Amino acid sequence: MNSYYFLFEISLILFSTKLLGLISRRIKLPQVVGALLAGIIIGPGVLNLVVESEFIMQLSEIGVIFLMFIAGLETDIDALKKQGKACFTIAILGVLIPFALGLGTTYLFGKFGMQDVMGDSNLFLESVFVGVILTATSGDTGKAAMAGFADVPGTRIIVFYPNGGVSPIQEKQMVTQKGDNTYVVAIEGNFDQAQSAVKAIFGDKELAKEMDEKGFQFSSANSINIGRLIPQVAYYVYAYAKLFAEGKVSKDQKINVVVPTGNFGNILAAYYAKNMGLPIDKLICASNENRVLYDFFTTGEYDKNREFILTNSPSMDILISSNLERFLYDLTGCDDKLVSEWMKELNTNGSYEVSADVKAKMQEMFTAGCCDDAETMATIKKCASEYDYVIDTHTAVAKSVYDKYVAQTGDTTKTIIASTASPFKFNQSVLIALEDHNAVVGKDEFTLLKELSEKSNMQIPKSLYELKDKSVVFDLVCDKDEMQQIVSDFLMVE
């Protein structure tokens, strides 16, 4: 079974589950009956899918998807929280226990749906082990993960972020997060160093054995876990469906997609969508001044041996793109030995070069571009002037790269540009772009939020403005070499 058929099957099962929930409510079946039907009908299909799948060795990553089936049983998540404990337990029995007994799962979501679903997963988690969600973040993932797992029984979550490497609003979101099971630490280093340290902890067999003996099991919440990445496939399917519904594309008309990326996760989801049948022509990879992906798609050589640049699009300040390994695995016909050799070269020498045929395959589907901070700021101002639409710095990178691509190629194919963040999270940079540096001098973050709202005619997201009255809960800063000890201390492992 190839990876695209696997993803198609996953999407089909998710849809089927949602449909079962809708039918159950429409004919007024009790929720418990609906959940039991879902477990009976879908459980065997899921089990068969996993048994046949080439992903059998990756269940620690994909196990999260099966919990998503339960979310499909009830559109009204608040109602599920109030009434659905029994439904949840029965559906767990119908679908998940075979995996727990014979294969093992992990209990993790990315931003998409994580908070609502994890709130109801504790019945199963408490009975098996304590799931320790260990995550490095370049900005948004940390807050989303902490909010999703806060005070969920049977879980602990520890988030590391680069000190000075996220926006002030992003940092405020994380350090004010409440929850007895949450912990966030700034590291003196960059995102790559934080993520590499997290991977090293995952790979420490002695530590894993010690944790297992004490009832802990590690997982992650950023895109190194495929459970975070797979739901993003739906973004591109939905966007195309909207274009078709509005008459902007005809049936099977191809589009291009531009994604601002550093870790190669979101654009990999678009690649999966393309290979599942979505009519995408070119995937355009947009980089900031940390242009390692641009250079890779241009030359075929991946080289992280370069200066790490702090930019005004900090969530893309990455030189080690973890998800590129998944892409190369697929592109080489699932040649794990070849990809493993490249990854060893990256770890040892800081670089590797793909073969000419792999390079040709990449360039057939992908093109890449990059822009610097000045171009990013100019694009924000240009968009506001021409379209009366204010974008954040990361989206501006994508728009700048797209404009260059059209100028260079003359390709006017209908194009989706992935807008990946709110401008309010990067209010300083956006206001400077719209006006000048004087617009932010001597003003706190919440004054800037108000001024950006007035300037853009956009409403401040309530969750951001409420940060004003929240107290800082976490203020620890550590060296990257201290991260493992921080984890042990938090879990009270001697």
Side-chain angles (χ1 to χ4, degrees), residues 194-489:
Q195 182 161 260
S196 294
V198 166
K199 289 181 179 179
I201 292 172
F202 286 155
D204 189 325
K205 294 181 180 179
E206 287 299 316
L207 180 62
K209 182 179 178 181
E210 181 182 5
M211 291 294 171
D212 185 62
E213 290 172 352
K214 295 180 181 294
F216 296 116
Q217 182 163 326
F218 285 129
S219 190
S220 188
N222 66 4
S223 61
I224 65 173
N225 188 307
I226 202 168
R228 150 77 182 278
L229 185 154
I230 285 179
Q232 292 176 311
V233 173
Y235 298 169
Y236 301 99
V237 177
Y238 175 79
Y240 189 89
K242 288 287 287 184
L243 288 175
F244 180 77
E246 294 172 5
K248 294 179 180 177
V249 296
S250 58
K251 184 177 183 295
D252 298 327
Q253 180 181 340
K254 289 193 172 184
I255 61 169
N256 292 336
V257 173
V258 189
V259 185
T261 187
N263 221 14
F264 205 73
N266 200 346
I267 198 167
L268 183 60
Y271 169 77
Y272 286 152
K274 172 183 170 73
N275 285 282
M276 289 167 68
L278 194 66
I280 297 174
D281 185 18
K282 280 291 185 182
L283 290 158
I284 303 171
C285 178
S287 300
N288 61 19
E289 290 181 76
N290 293 293
R291 46 185 275 174
V292 64
L293 286 170
Y294 166 75
D295 290 341
F296 176 65
F297 280 101
T298 303
T299 68
E301 181 181 15
Y302 194 98
D303 187 356
K304 70 173 185 176
N305 298 314
R306 61 185 70 200
E307 179 187 3
F308 187 99
I309 301 171
L310 294 176
T311 73
N312 56 22
S313 48
S315 297
M316 297 163 61
D317 289 346
I318 297 171
L319 293 180
I320 304 174
S321 303
S322 295
N323 288 290
L324 197 62
E325 183 177 354
R326 290 188 172 112
F327 170 64
L328 292 173
Y329 175 73
D330 180 75
L331 208 62
T332 57
C334 304
D335 190 336
D336 58 315
K337 292 182 179 178
L338 178 58
V339 176
S340 180
E341 285 300 317
W342 287 336
M343 295 305 108
K344 287 178 183 176
E345 289 180 37
L346 180 64
N347 291 333
T348 304
N349 305 318
S351 66
Y352 62 88
E353 187 169 4
V354 300
S355 58
D357 62 320
V358 171
K359 177 183 173 183
K361 287 180 183 178
M362 292 191 320
Q363 293 179 341
E364 183 179 348
M365 293 177 285
F366 280 79
T367 189
C370 61
C371 75
D372 59 26
D373 277 2
E375 291 171 309
T376 299
M377 302 293 263
T379 301
I380 293 171
K381 187 165 188 175
K382 180 181 177 183
C383 276
S385 175
E386 292 186 5
Y387 307 111
D388 193 26
Y389 185 73
V390 176
I391 58 178
D392 81 290
T393 49
H394 304 76
T395 307
V397 169
K399 179 64 166 65
S400 175
V401 166
Y402 170 71
D403 288 344
K404 290 180 187 179
Y405 170 77
V406 173
Q408 292 167 2
T409 65
D411 183 359
T412 57
T413 299
K414 189 73 68 176
T415 300
I416 293 169
I417 297 177
S419 182
T420 54
S422 165
F424 289 100
K425 288 189 176 182
F426 306 93
N427 48 27
Q428 290 191 31
S429 294
V430 173
L431 276 170
I432 291 170
L434 296 176
E435 298 182 12
D436 55 37
H437 278 86
N438 293 327
V440 302
V441 174
K443 298 175 183 177
D444 64 32
E445 290 298 311
F446 302 99
T447 300
L448 297 180
L449 285 176
K450 284 185 176 181
E451 293 190 1
L452 179 56
S453 177
E454 294 169 0
K455 186 76 176 176
S456 64
N457 292 318
M458 297 167 65
Q459 188 173 353
I460 304 170
K462 183 181 178 182
S463 62
L464 298 187
Y465 196 72
E466 287 177 347
L467 292 172
K468 181 178 181 180
D469 300 318
K470 291 188 176 183
S471 301
V472 171
V473 180
F474 304 103
D475 58 5
L476 183 63
V477 180
C478 77
D479 186 79
K480 62 183 185 297
D481 297 327
E482 299 174 317
M483 288 172 58
Q484 182 169 317
Q485 187 60 50
I486 293 287
V487 172
S488 296
D489 291 345

Side-chain angles (χ1 to χ4, degrees), residues 83-110:
Q83 307 171 33
K85 295 294 184 181
C87 302
F88 185 78
T89 305
I90 290 172
I92 285 282
L93 291 172
V95 180
L96 292 181
I97 289 223
F99 298 100
L101 295 177
L103 300 171
T105 65
T106 186
Y107 308 91
L108 168 64
F109 298 149

